[in-house]
Amino acid sequence: MNYCEKLLERLLELSKSDSSYCAGNAVVCISSLSEACQSDFAPYYEIIFKEFLPVLVKQPPKEFLKFKGQLIESICICSVCVGMDVFRPYSKSLIEALLVIQKTHLGDETDPQRKYLLAAWQRLCLIMEKEFAQYLPDVMPELFKMASLKPSLKVSETGEDILQFLSEVRTSSGVKGVSVTTDELEEKNIGIHMLCVIIDELEELYAPYVEDTSSLFLSLLTFSYNASIRNTVADSLPTLLKAVKATEKNSEVVMTYAQSYIQGLFEAMRLESDTDCMHHQVSGIKR
């Protein structure tokens, strides 16, 4: 642990560098150091927290946006490594800082902080479990916004939407068989996956958001542009149903949700051309 203390001291110095590249790599190294030490990193967590938190709440210049994202990632990784008992006294301050970033510091869709922030919510939800539920009213609007994102790709001088063009592309069998990956689609998929993590961890505490999430996920079962998104929502519907069953006393309401999920999965299977997606859809019905 003597090595850890010496390394940490030097890395903290480098994290204050005027070079965003140097500072970012120093922060990444601190993350790796905490992962190597795990719970033994606890004596140094307060030092990290006091150094990083003031930087988190400041609006950085454009060239330091990625560094800010790496800083978010590092403090969350350190929090996971030391465990909830050590992290609990600091959790409120960190989440409040992240909410400030989410509400006031994020730029357009190209802002690198977005993906780091989504990953941060996921890590914090996993470590805090049901204690994370109290922050859902503030966290959920942005997650729904990202998961509901309607991406478009403009190409050529005419500004034609390539996703509209690809919707007409068909395989030789006449069935659509296109999967597109872009930054916007990746962000959408991360947002959907984050919703799945929250549902899985919070179960009955997720009940206030079941209706909106059901509508979103059912609409994405046939999202033709990206197979990964179709797989994610097909896998998540059984977990969403568990959240309904945990809070809903009326069995008819539970049955209505179950029937809509099964009907949606069957309809998606009828239109699906990707065998891996079909496997996820069948698995969703089985569960």
Side-chain angles (χ1 to χ4, degrees):
M1 297 306 296
N2 289 334
Y3 289 111
C4 178
E5 186 172 351
K6 292 176 181 178
L7 281 170
L8 186 59
E9 183 180 352
R10 180 57 179 151
L11 289 171
L12 285 173
E13 290 178 7
L14 292 173
S15 71
K16 299 171 185 177
S17 170
D18 292 334
S19 164
S20 61
Y21 180 79
C22 178
N25 278 301
V27 166
V28 170
C29 288
I30 290 173
S31 303
S32 299
L33 189 61
S34 68
E35 288 178 314
C37 296
Q38 291 295 317
S39 60
D40 289 334
F41 194 77
Y44 311 104
Y45 182 75
E46 184 176 4
I47 299 171
I48 290 293
F49 195 85
K50 288 181 176 179
E51 288 282 347
F52 285 0
L53 191 66
V55 183
L56 280 181
V57 296
K58 293 179 181 178
Q59 179 72 281
K62 186 175 181 179
E63 61 271 20
F64 273 81
L65 287 176
K66 183 177 180 180
F67 164 72
K68 176 82 166 287
Q70 291 169 321
L71 201 66
I72 294 170
E73 179 181 58
S74 181
I75 196 168
C76 289
I77 288 175
C78 292
S79 300
V80 171
C81 291
V82 299
M84 189 58 193
D85 288 341
V86 175
F87 173 59
R88 187 174 284 109
Y90 304 92
S91 60
K92 188 173 185 292
S93 297
L94 177 57
I95 290 175
E96 287 176 350
L98 294 179
L99 287 172
V100 168
I101 295 171
Q102 179 170 287
K103 293 176 180 179
T104 63
H105 290 187
L106 292 182
D108 59 23
E109 291 78 6
T110 63
D111 190 332
Q113 295 177 100
R114 288 180 176 274
K115 293 178 184 177
Y116 288 105
L117 189 60
L118 276 175
W121 292 135
Q122 180 170 325
R123 289 189 175 97
L124 293 178
C125 181
L126 288 170
I127 185 176
M128 296 178 71
E129 298 179 340
K130 290 185 173 16
E131 292 182 42
F132 189 74
Q134 61 185 301
Y135 300 105
L136 286 186
D138 292 312
V139 174
M140 291 302 294
E142 184 66 19
L143 288 181
F144 273 127
K145 179 181 176 182
M146 291 182 177
S148 304
L149 185 68
K150 294 181 179 179
S152 64
L153 290 176
K154 302 296 183 181
V155 294
S156 79
E157 294 179 357
T158 63
E160 181 182 3
D161 190 342
I162 193 172
L163 292 184
Q164 180 64 31
F165 167 75
L166 288 173
S167 69
E168 303 301 324
V169 177
R170 298 175 181 273
T171 62
S172 58
S173 62
V175 181
K176 294 175 185 178
V178 176
S179 187
V180 183
T181 300
T182 68
D183 287 343
E184 285 185 321
L185 284 171
E186 184 180 353
E187 182 175 314
K188 182 181 182 74
N189 198 16
I190 292 171
I192 293 166
H193 183 71
M194 180 61 217
L195 288 175
C196 297
V197 170
I198 293 177
I199 295 166
D200 192 46
E201 290 297 321
L202 301 187
E203 297 180 339
E204 72 279 3
L205 298 177
Y206 191 80
Y209 309 96
V210 165
E211 185 175 351
D212 289 340
T213 307
S214 296
S215 299
L216 174 63
F217 282 7
L218 286 171
S219 71
L220 292 172
L221 284 172
T222 54
F223 186 74
S224 57
Y225 307 125
N226 188 275
S228 179
I229 288 176
R230 300 198 297 277
N231 290 344
T232 301
V233 295
D235 291 340
S236 70
L237 287 178
T239 306
L240 193 57
L241 186 60
K242 288 181 182 178
V244 177
K245 292 169 69 176
T247 55
E248 184 56 62
K249 305 302 181 184
N250 189 335
S251 60
E252 291 184 4
V253 174
V254 177
M255 186 61 67
T256 299
Y257 274 106
Q259 288 174 343
S260 67
Y261 294 169
I262 292 172
Q263 183 179 349
L265 287 165
F266 269 121
E267 178 63 17
M269 287 174 61
R270 187 180 69 81
L271 300 172
E272 189 56 69
S273 62
D274 187 298
T275 53
D276 184 54
C277 287
M278 289 182 184
H279 172 77
H280 284 269
Q281 291 156 357
V282 171
S283 177
I285 295 173
K286 180 180 177 181
R287 289 165 57 197

